Amino acid sequence: MRSKVFFADMRAGAKENLFGKIGRLMQQAGLAQSVAPGDLVAVKVHFGERGNHTFIRPIFLRRVVDEIKALEGKPFLTDSSTLYPGERKEAVSALACAVENGFAYAVVNAPLIMCDGLKGHNAKDIQVDGEILKTVNIGAEILEADALIAVSHFKCHELTGFGGTLKNLGMGCSSRTGKMQQHSTVAPKVAERFCNGCSVCLKSCAHAAIAIIEGKAQIDPAACVGCSRCITACQRKAINIQWNESASLVMRKMAEYAKGALYGKQGKTLFLNFITQVSPACDCYGHADAPIVNDIGICASADPVALDQACADLVNNARGNQETALASGHEPGGDKFRGVHPEIDWEVQLEHAEKIGIGTRGYELVRI
């Protein structure tokens, strides 16, 4: 069977602007079937890093919010803390960054709520019985919400080839523990040149895995359970994840986490991908390079696998931009994602997501 993926190009005019097309796209994709009056609706979006500019424009999220409110739903915009010790490693800094990037209530018409709590650990274990993971750790507010609308910026990604709905669900809805589980199989590492032996990390560790030895923190790998609380606690950014997991395994874990993020939401989800400013890397960086293709449009579907597959095909069928990070595949039909990240087999995430029953790679593209 093929799933329907609805597509709106970037054309607009006096009769209908782009905001109107977004509304019509959501309506045709089945928003009314996903949102009931009174539903608390999580709108999962990436708030963008400080210094980045390719995240979805907040004024577009305003239209998504307005469409939900028209159905008497109660939307809130949500994101999760980062695993790495950057600008968005806890809720206070992350929400401040979001407001600076334009996601203020006056713009988006909805409150901002971090889905994983103050420090990225407000989460619950969900049983998925995957090929790799039996349980996954998902942000509590994602699970508590009555409905979930994931709005994703479709772009290249240095670890998964591309980042779309599956990544927004799998990585973006997981706790810090969940992100750690997807990215690494070993304990965090202390950079001794930054550590001043302040002992704050000791207080954050519930497993007695950290000790101060000769004035520096040391982590016992045998005792560490991978909760990553110490990464958040360290104000000197001296404790960091060891990114030792292979890209293909990360993608498979990510797909199983995406399945967990959808737990209990049968018939209560909708997914949108903005194929705009298709940057060579993730929006988590404090910069954004030139787009590798011109803006293509916006897609929506009730099937996250079909949606990401359709968006990947639309990008690959476009003509690549010269003088960008795209090194090969400029011709229509060329593999743009391998043209930027040649070592990444990006189809793994789609193959595994289909295999575990999240959706299908087969789709029918419906142009509105």
Side-chain angles (χ1 to χ4, degrees):
M1 294 181 63
R2 296 190 300 169
S3 296
K4 287 188 176 181
V5 176
F6 296 86
F7 170 70
D9 61 28
M10 301 299 291
R11 298 296 302 273
K15 292 184 177 180
E16 185 180 49
N17 60 27
L18 193 55
F19 301 101
K21 292 180 82 168
I22 292 172
R24 189 155 57 91
L25 181 71
M26 295 179 70
Q27 291 163 15
Q28 292 197 24
L31 180 66
Q33 285 72 54
S34 303
V35 176
D39 276 354
L40 297 175
V41 183
V43 180
K44 176 61 184 72
V45 67
H46 193 305
F47 289 142
E49 188 60 80
R50 184 176 287 113
N52 193 285
H53 63 269
T54 53
F55 52 86
I56 300 172
R57 297 178 186 177
I59 52 175
F60 291 148
L61 271 299
R62 171 69 176 246
R63 186 53 188 250
V64 173
V65 164
D66 288 347
E67 290 294 326
I68 295 168
K69 287 190 172 183
L71 296 169
E72 300 182 44
K74 297 180 179 180
F76 63 94
L77 268 57
T78 190
D79 199 1
S80 61
S81 302
T82 59
L83 178 58
Y84 56 87
E87 296 287 343
R88 298 177 295 119
K89 69 176 184 177
E90 33 73 17
V92 175
S93 299
L95 292 176
C97 181
V99 172
E100 288 180 20
N101 282 343
F103 292 93
Y105 194 103
V107 179
V108 299
N109 198 27
L112 311 182
I113 301 174
M114 297 299 287
C115 72
D116 55 356
L118 186 64
K119 295 183 178 180
H121 297 287
N122 184 24
K124 298 179 181 179
D125 285 330
I126 297 298
Q127 188 169 345
V128 293
D129 292 325
E131 289 188 0
I132 306 166
L133 305 171
K134 298 306 176 185
T135 62
V136 296
N137 200 241
I138 302 297
E141 309 314 325
I142 293 294
L143 299 172
E144 290 290 334
D146 301 306
L148 172 62
I149 311 297
V151 186
S152 311
H153 174 217
F154 195 86
K155 70 282 182 190
C156 296
H157 193 277
E158 59 280 7
L159 185 60
T160 59
F162 73 79
T165 293
L166 290 172
K167 186 173 186 297
N168 196 11
L169 293 172
M171 290 289 182
C173 294
S174 64
S175 66
R176 294 178 62 82
T177 299
K179 292 179 177 67
M180 183 79 168
Q181 187 178 40
Q182 292 175 72
H183 282 294
S184 181
T185 59
V186 295
K189 185 177 181 180
V190 178
E192 291 190 356
R193 67 184 184 279
F194 296 125
C195 178
N196 65 354
C198 69
S199 301
V200 170
C201 56
L202 273 69
K203 299 175 184 177
S204 73
C205 183
H207 306 280
I210 306 177
I212 302 296
I213 300 176
E214 296 182 357
K216 302 291 182 179
Q218 290 192 16
I219 299 174
D220 179 2
C224 177
V225 299
C227 73
S228 76
R229 289 179 184 270
C230 56
I231 297 176
T232 308
C234 182
Q235 297 303 305
R236 298 180 62 85
K237 300 181 181 180
I239 304 178
N240 293 277
I241 183 176
Q242 298 191 68
W243 310 90
N244 74 320
E245 200 65 284
S246 68
S248 61
L249 193 52
V250 169
M251 283 186 272
R252 292 170 66 199
K253 288 181 180 180
M254 184 179 77
E256 294 182 6
Y257 259 84
K259 183 176 181 180
L262 298 174
Y263 176 81
K265 297 290 194 299
Q266 183 68 32
K268 302 292 289 183
T269 57
L270 190 68
F271 313 104
L272 286 83
N273 279 351
F274 280 66
I275 319 173
T276 56
Q277 293 187 280
V278 183
S279 48
C282 182
D283 294 340
C284 289
Y285 286 101
H287 63 274
D289 201 357
I292 63 166
V293 296
N294 292 335
D295 288 356
I296 294 172
I298 307 161
C299 290
S301 180
D303 183 332
V305 182
L307 178 61
D308 275 359
Q309 180 68 70
C311 292
D313 291 343
L314 285 166
V315 170
N316 282 336
N317 288 332
R319 184 171 295 281
N321 292 331
Q322 299 291 335
E323 300 183 6
T324 67
L326 186 65
S328 64
H330 292 84
E331 71 283 358
D335 192 328
K336 305 298 186 293
F337 310 110
R338 286 187 175 90
V340 179
H341 303 291
E343 71 284 2
I344 304 298
D345 182 6
W346 52 269
E347 292 184 271
V348 168
Q349 60 178 295
L350 296 166
E351 292 169 353
H352 196 63
E354 182 179 52
K355 185 177 182 181
I356 63 177
I358 296 177
T360 177
R361 295 180 70 180
Y363 65 91
E364 173 191 354
L365 193 67
V366 181
R367 297 176 180 267
I368 70 163

